[in-house]
Amino acid sequence: VQLQASGGGLVQAGGSLRLSCAASGGTFSSYNMGWFRQAPGKEREFVSVINWTGGRTYYADSVKGRFTISRDNFKNTVYLQMNSLKAEDTAVYYCAAGSSWSGVLANRSDYLGQGTLVTVSS
């Protein structure tokens, strides 16, 4: 499975961005999909995960209430809507695919895509 994230950019604090991750080469609808991020000098951290149907989601406390994950299994794409952005949200954002829900949560996904940079200016 190949994953390509897009939609990053420069935004002012309080603004919004929507990230997209297009998947190819596999059965997208069978995977749990996750978003992770890595800020400069820090380890990669979990952001959010959605199950294969889209009916179950989970968020890191740091983004709960501000970010929304969703997916379109017809378009083989997962999204991350980010609102009320803060300077501390600045990071490279990666999407991931995993057959195990707990595996994705634990940063043990089967596939990890290239990232897209989000910069939030304060």
Side-chain angles (χ1 to χ4, degrees):
V1 176
Q2 290 80 47
L3 303 171
Q4 182 62 57
S6 61
L10 175 64
V11 62
Q12 288 188 335
S16 298
L17 278 177
R18 188 176 83 151
L19 305 184
S20 300
C21 175
S24 61
T27 307
F28 176 78
S29 59
S30 67
Y31 288 101
N32 302 287
M33 298 298 297
W35 285 97
F36 294 80
R37 66 186 182 186
Q38 187 166 18
K42 295 186 177 182
E43 294 186 353
R44 189 164 63 227
E45 65 173 358
F46 166 81
V47 174
S48 184
V49 60
I50 188 168
N51 76 334
W52 66 279
T53 67
R56 183 185 182 189
T57 59
Y58 186 76
Y59 299 90
D61 287 343
S62 57
V63 307
K64 198 173 296 182
R66 300 188 297 123
F67 291 11
T68 303
I69 191 171
S70 61
R71 67 189 295 161
D72 185 334
N73 286 344
F74 293 103
K75 295 183 178 179
N76 289 354
T77 302
V78 62
Y79 305 97
L80 186 68
Q81 177 67 44
M82 306 186 295
N83 299 329
S84 302
L85 283 161
K86 305 174 182 179
E88 51 263 43
D89 294 319
T90 295
V92 176
Y93 284 71
Y94 302 86
C95 62
S99 54
S100 166
W101 172 270
S102 57
V104 174
L105 275 173
N107 200 11
R108 294 195 303 270
S109 303
D110 299 324
Y111 304 97
L112 186 70
Q114 292 184 329
T116 185
L117 175 63
V118 173
T119 304
V120 183
S121 62
S122 56

